[in-house]
Amino acid sequence: MLLFTASRALRAALTILFVMTFAFVVLRLSGDPALLIMSVDAPPEAIKAFREAWGLERPIWEQYLSYIGHAFTGDFGKSMRDGRPAIDLVMERVPATLAITLPALALKVGLGIPAGVYAALHRNSFADRMTMAVSVAGFTMPSFVLALLLVLLFSVNLGWLPASGADSPTYAILPIITLGASGAAIMARFTRSAMLEVLGQPYIRAASAKGVEWRRVISHHALPNAAIPTVTIIGFMIGSLVAGAVVVESVFAWPGIGRLLVSAVANRDLAVVQAILMVIATWMVLANFTVDMAYGWLDPRVRGTAAAH
Amino acid sequence: MTAPLVEVTGLTVDFERDGRSSRAVDGVDLAIAPGEALGIVGESGSGKSVTWLAALGLLPARARVGGSVRIDKQQLIGAAPKVLEGVRGKRIAMIFQDPSSCLNPVHRIGWQLVEALKLHRGLDGAAAEAATLRLLDQVGIADARRRLGDFPHQLSGGLNQRVMIAMALAGEPDLLIADEPTTALDATIQAQILALLASIRRDTGMALVLISHDLGVVAENVNRVAVMYAGRLVEEAMGQDLFGAARHPYTQGLLAALPTLTGPRRRLAAIPGTVPEPGKAPPGCAFAPRCPLAEPRCQSEPPPVRHVGLMHRAACHLQIDVGVSAWNLPRAAE
Ligand SMILES: Nc1ncnc2c1ncn2[C@@H]1O[C@H](COP(=O)(O)OP(=O)(O)O)[C@@H](O)[C@H]1O
Ligand SMILES: [Mg+2]
């Protein structure tokens, strides 16, 4: 088990290193930041000075090694725009992103799972068909379309909720709904099929044959088994929480990491983009790691093989 | 014969599929006396499992069940869930073909046994644990205390079937339905499980319905045998009568397919053709298309169930004499 955990941790670290390397290379290859930041008609001396100040004139592998070396000490370079440490710029945006993504996650899980379980238990009923129809709509619609529809309805037509900004908690409502709705739809669909799969298993019929009442068959025999595949989806959702907020933060002008990423890319603020990608990758890797651990806890069969590793 | 413990009369099961319904069980009559062992045989797809799942209300909602199943005076068909939950496990227990998938993979063996004990005997805590150990001991599981902490995937199929039997015994049922309890197990384990069932029956006086597609499995373990084909009962007799003097061509075909003591073990594949699916049986005798003696009326008229001897019934238009096999007559050889 210790070995299992250690090998997962090593794999997680390698994944993060890989993402950092990839981001570094792609960003350096995609254009000269000096020209973009300084504007093309800046005097050549100024551009040269900028390059020297940021170490851009050194060979790329040297820049890379120095970047990775510093990263190990927690130094991810400085923003080329305002000179502050890139990681600080990113971290101060984290609370805003979590403020909409965590409630959205709660919405996905809190709405999606009960809806999916209900639909499975009332398979082919009117409620089941409705739930599935809504859920198809929910996850085929791109989030910016949903965002615009919501804005149209609640801000423009009804005037109930603000459409953009972050001046008070009410500003968070539309971003949260936009982020949560499609996730809840996916969650409902997935939970429904996981539940149907479990309900068709011989041990469910055997539990009934044993005399266990139906409610308890559901709660003690079906749900703990259906939870196993469902955890994968929850893990995936947690992993993509930050990355998934990029579009929605931009549409609603919500000052989180996603919006910072869009502006940093537009400004070619390399250090900031790299720091954001690193934070997103670390987040995803941690989420995966947690899911693996949760699996072992929920599914004794996995626990067995993990111990045998 | 004493008053039956369980009486099945005119049991029918129809499955709705794509708006059409097809009949999987077609008017089964059976009676089981207290303490009796009844074997039910027939090829796979004959409706053996569905009959007993219907009796216990374990079929999905799209199955329409008709007729009557009584235990003592209690009607089970159409009974309220509360009534059925009180009968399942407590009066009639059921074990199934694939024990390893009938135990819940996420719960420990001990947990699953305690659940049954709590349900049927109201036991909890230390009393439940003591009773669990006794049950495991009763079904011949050595090292019972350690097994309590195991998950089903850590146990062999044979051990899991023993656990299933222990769980069935938790409610001290009057009748145990064992649906192909050894089909998924290999031959030596199969013999052990059958011996275990026999010894439990001796010790507890519980009645047993032993379902199998293999006449050989049933032969040594029951008093009486009922043969099912395409959802109907085609022959029913005391064990020695059925094995010595079968009167239905289908039963005779099953017997002819049995391996001899010295010969190799074979599956029941010797009758050419297959069991018709529900709804696809011909209007007359369902076995007519495969029967070596079929006559025109067999195709069109369903044969009545006739008494052909003492406690011996058969559903065949042709009244085949004792000692004659449909499969040895000259016509069969053509
Ligand atoms: N849940 C179900 N839905 C539809 N058809 C079923 C269902 N269960 C069984 N059947 C059909 O009923 C027939 C009898 O099945 P079964 O009783 O399982 O046969 P067996 O004699 O092998 O136990 C089979 O043709 C099977 O396909
Ligand atoms: Mg069966």
Side-chain angles (χ1 to χ4, degrees), chain A residues 201-214 216 220-222 224-225 228 298-301 303-304, chain B residues 53 58-60 82 85 88-89 96 101-108 111-112 115-116 119-120 151 153 164 167:
Chain A
Q201 293 297 313
Y203 56 80
I204 294 299
R205 177 177 275 173
S208 288
K210 191 172 154 184
V212 180
E213 62 164 354
W214 186 236
R216 190 178 155 90
H220 285 68
H221 291 265
N225 281 284
I228 298 166
L298 285 170
D299 190 347
R301 288 161 295 190
R303 208 180 309 157
Chain B
L53 292 172
L58 292 173
L59 288 172
K82 270 270 153 292
E85 281 157 15
R88 295 176 192 148
F96 302 90
S101 57
C102 285
L103 286 161
N104 197 314
V106 306
H107 295 304
R108 294 175 197 280
W111 186 98
Q112 305 194 42
E115 182 181 51
L119 202 61
H120 300 307
F151 288 98
H153 75 271
M164 287 300 292
M167 210 142 70

Side-chain angles (χ1 to χ4, degrees), chain A residues 18-302:
Chain A
F18 175 77
V19 170
M20 285 171 67
T21 307
F22 185 76
F24 184 92
V25 172
V26 168
L27 289 172
R28 295 300 144 132
L29 292 180
S30 64
D32 185 344
L35 292 179
L36 274 151
I37 289 187
M38 303 291 292
S39 84
V40 201
D41 48 356
E45 312 85 73
I47 290 180
K48 187 158 183 291
F50 183 89
R51 285 209 172 116
E52 265 161 27
W54 293 102
L56 294 175
E57 83 292 357
R58 288 186 293 159
I60 186 165
W61 60 267
E62 219 180 291
Q63 291 182 44
Y64 172 73
L65 286 182
S66 127
Y67 171 69
I68 295 292
H70 283 105
F72 268 109
T73 68
D75 173 6
F76 294 90
K78 291 191 168 58
S79 162
M80 293 175 180
R81 281 276 153 182
D82 62 6
R84 294 175 54 212
I87 194 72
D88 291 0
L89 279 178
V90 177
M91 292 320 271
E92 70 191 27
R93 296 293 191 102
V94 167
T97 292
L98 291 183
I100 56 168
T101 52
L102 288 183
L105 180 68
L107 193 66
K108 296 173 200 181
V109 172
L111 203 65
I113 290 183
V117 169
Y118 184 88
L121 292 179
H122 299 84
R123 189 182 189 178
N124 291 335
S125 67
F126 178 70
D128 177 25
R129 281 165 220 240
M130 278 307 289
T131 313
M132 285 310 104
V134 170
S135 107
V136 169
F139 79 78
T140 48
M141 193 185 299
S143 62
F144 70 90
V145 175
L146 178 62
L148 294 178
L149 286 178
L150 289 173
V151 165
L152 214 60
L153 181 62
F154 291 104
S155 308
V156 180
N157 284 342
L158 297 171
W160 290 352
L161 293 166
S164 103
D167 299 337
S168 74
T170 51
Y171 284 81
I173 295 177
L174 287 185
I176 290 172
I177 295 178
T178 309
L179 281 172
S182 65
I186 294 171
M187 201 71 231
R189 254 196 123 64
F190 206 84
T191 305
R192 176 181 183 269
S193 62
M195 195 66 186
L196 284 178
E197 161 87 28
V198 166
L199 288 175
Q201 293 297 313
Y203 56 80
I204 294 299
R205 177 177 275 173
S208 288
K210 191 172 154 184
V212 180
E213 62 164 354
W214 186 236
R215 295 180 76 90
R216 190 178 155 90
V217 172
I218 300 303
S219 63
H220 285 68
H221 291 265
L223 288 178
N225 281 284
I228 298 166
T230 309
V231 155
T232 318
I233 288 293
I234 297 180
F236 174 76
M237 284 177 172
I238 295 176
S240 57
L241 218 56
V242 177
V246 173
V247 172
V248 171
E249 285 183 4
S250 303
V251 174
F252 290 101
W254 185 262
I257 294 183
R259 197 150 166 257
L260 179 66
L261 178 64
V262 172
S263 64
V265 167
N267 294 331
R268 303 215 65 79
D269 198 342
L270 297 190
V272 173
V273 174
Q274 278 167 200
I276 291 175
L277 293 180
M278 199 276 305
V279 165
I280 289 177
T282 309
W283 177 269
M284 280 185 173
V285 163
L286 283 179
N288 268 334
F289 188 72
T290 315
V291 167
D292 282 346
M293 294 296 125
Y295 256 143
W297 178 64
L298 285 170
D299 190 347
R301 288 161 295 190
V302 173

